[in-house]
């Protein structure tokens, strides 16, 4: 049996759980999970808070920021071999034939991407189980190579928080010497800062917490704006080329659109629960645009990991044993983590 942590009913806590190993298909790679990051999506899913979009099927084994070692490759696998350090992110399958898959954006697969957990599972029926588990079996086309020079605990969050911020920054174009704003400085925001800095932008963090200023500067920001200080905000009005909005709490988007200059863009990657109220004038004056972004395709995720290897970029993590995962969820809600939890999956075996 595979040892994991699952929530077995709505409102339940994560607790030890066992399931049958998956039968392997010819293109499958079996991975011994070493670290799994904790994403906000994990918490929303186990609590069934996104029931209107994707209801949770219980038991639910979350986790889509996975790093581990390949323990077995099946007959048709060509990209990986036993012992390779690999990653698995938010997706484990798609039809691989539709126009979106063909253009390397499998996350928008017309047949629906198969997510790493709480999605229909082709192996066992039921739903997919994620990385809060000692083992995961994934089609080689959705397995990523992880640079060996990076700390695997800090690599895990790159598989979701990393690609979520990397992809929109790349899509916007060359940000060298451009003024780039990062809204929010948590799991996503701190990665946005690292990437924007690595691409040589002038990086400015917007935060409501003066206590985060020092860390933001240390991790690569050139400036920090305390967004509740209207004088400080006014000084920067109309001066940004691109703003990455990682805030998932309610916030006044119009004041940030006002920070953009001509043809500036604000891209949302955080997902506030309630609809945003947007003034048309905030976009019309200055020909500004507002867009969204969802993770990245497999090709781009590999590009991101290789970039991280070259530039020595990982997430700042607090490593925890899996027995502390419920406590970690409570702390994550209060933003009491710098800046992502990474579960040491070896702790499962100490049960
Ligand atoms: Zn995630
Ligand atoms: Zn497709």
């Amino acid at each position: 049996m595979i040892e994991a942590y699952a929530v077995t009913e709505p409102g339940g806590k994560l607790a030890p759980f066992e399931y049958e190993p998956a039968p392997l298909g010819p293109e499958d790679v079996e991975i011994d999970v070493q670290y799994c990051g904790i994403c906000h999506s994990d918490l929303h899913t186990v609590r069934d808070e996104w029931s209107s979009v994707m209801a949770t099927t219980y038991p639910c084994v979350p986790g889509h920021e996975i790093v581990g070692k390949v323990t077995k490759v099946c007959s048709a696998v060509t990209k990986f071999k036993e012992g390779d350090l690999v990653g698995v992110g938010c997706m484990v399958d798609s039809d691989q034939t539709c126009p979106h898959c063909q253009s390397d954006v499998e996350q928008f697969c017309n047949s629906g991407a198969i997510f790493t957990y709480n999605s229909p599972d082709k192996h066992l029926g039921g739903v997919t189980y994620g990385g809060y588990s000692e083992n995961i079996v994934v089609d080689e086309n959705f397995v990523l190579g992880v640079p060996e020079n990076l700390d695997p605990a800090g690599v895990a969050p790159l598989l979701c928080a990393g690609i979520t911020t990397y992809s929109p920054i790349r899509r916007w174009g060359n940000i060298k010497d451009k003024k780039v704003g990062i809204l929010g400085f948590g799991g996503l925001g701190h990665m946005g800062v690292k990437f924007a800095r690595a691409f040589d932008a002038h990086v400015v963090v917007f935060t409501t917490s003066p206590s985060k200023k020092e860390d933001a500067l240390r991790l690569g920001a050139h400036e920090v704006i305390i967004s509740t200080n209207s004088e400080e905000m006014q000084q920067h009005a109309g001066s940004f080329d691109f703003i990455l909005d990682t805030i998932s709490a309610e916030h006044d988007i119009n004041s940030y659109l006002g920070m953009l200059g001509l043809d500036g863009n604000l891209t949302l990657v955080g997902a506030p629960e309630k609809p945003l109220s947007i003034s048309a004038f905030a976009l019309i004056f200055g020909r500004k645009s507002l867009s969204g972004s969802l993770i990245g395709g497999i090709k781009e995720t590999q590009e991101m990991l290789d970039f991280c290897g070259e530039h020595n970029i990982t997430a700042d993590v607090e490593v925890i044993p899996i027995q502390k995962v419920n406590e970690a969820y409570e702390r994550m809600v209060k933003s009491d983590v710098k800046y992502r939890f990474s579960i040491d999956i070896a702790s499962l075996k100490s049960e």
Side-chain angles (χ1 to χ4, degrees), residues 39 41 64-65 90 160 340:
C39 175
S41 315
H64 61 201
E65 296 185 334
C90 303
C160 175
R340 204 75 157 171

Side-chain angles (χ1 to χ4, degrees), residues 183 205-209 224-233 247 255-256:
L183 298 196
V205 167
F206 292 87
T207 176
T208 52
S209 326
V224 176
I225 297 174
I226 305 304
S227 53
T228 48
N229 181 332
S230 53
E231 210 170 293
E232 238 177 282
M233 290 286 277
I247 303 173
S255 69
Y256 294 107

Side-chain angles (χ1 to χ4, degrees), residues 143-299:
V143 177
L144 298 138
V146 169
E148 298 270 354
N149 60 312
L150 300 175
D151 167 28
V155 168
L158 299 177
L159 277 306
C160 175
I163 187 61
T164 296
T165 49
Y166 181 92
S167 181
I169 287 172
R170 293 305 284 153
R171 188 160 178 277
W172 196 77
N174 185 357
I175 58 168
K176 185 171 166 22
D177 299 328
K178 301 282 183 187
K179 190 166 173 181
V180 169
I182 307 291
L183 298 196
F185 192 69
L188 291 172
H190 95 290
M191 288 311 308
V193 168
K194 291 186 183 201
F195 288 132
R197 181 65 189 247
F199 286 113
D200 296 321
H202 181 81
V203 186
V204 183
V205 167
F206 292 87
T207 176
T208 52
S209 326
S211 62
K212 289 187 174 174
K213 189 166 184 169
E214 205 176 305
D215 255 17
L217 295 171
R218 181 176 60 84
L219 297 187
H222 294 91
E223 295 178 72
V224 176
I225 297 174
I226 305 304
S227 53
T228 48
N229 181 332
S230 53
E231 210 170 293
E232 238 177 282
M233 290 286 277
Q234 202 47 48
Q235 282 165 10
H236 290 265
S239 69
F240 283 83
D241 296 289
F242 174 72
I243 294 177
L244 185 66
D245 186 345
T246 73
I247 303 173
S248 54
E250 235 175 298
H251 58 292
D252 176 16
I253 192 106
N254 296 302
S255 69
Y256 294 107
L257 290 171
M259 294 290 118
L260 293 171
L262 182 64
D263 290 328
N265 170 269
L266 185 147
T267 296
L268 301 171
V269 289
E273 208 177 320
K274 294 196 187 123
L276 299 163
S277 171
I278 292 144
S279 154
F281 291 110
L283 293 171
I284 291 170
F285 283 95
R287 207 165 51 190
K288 297 165 188 176
S289 63
L290 172 65
S291 46
S293 189
L294 175 74
I295 51 172
I298 292 298
K299 186 178 168 196

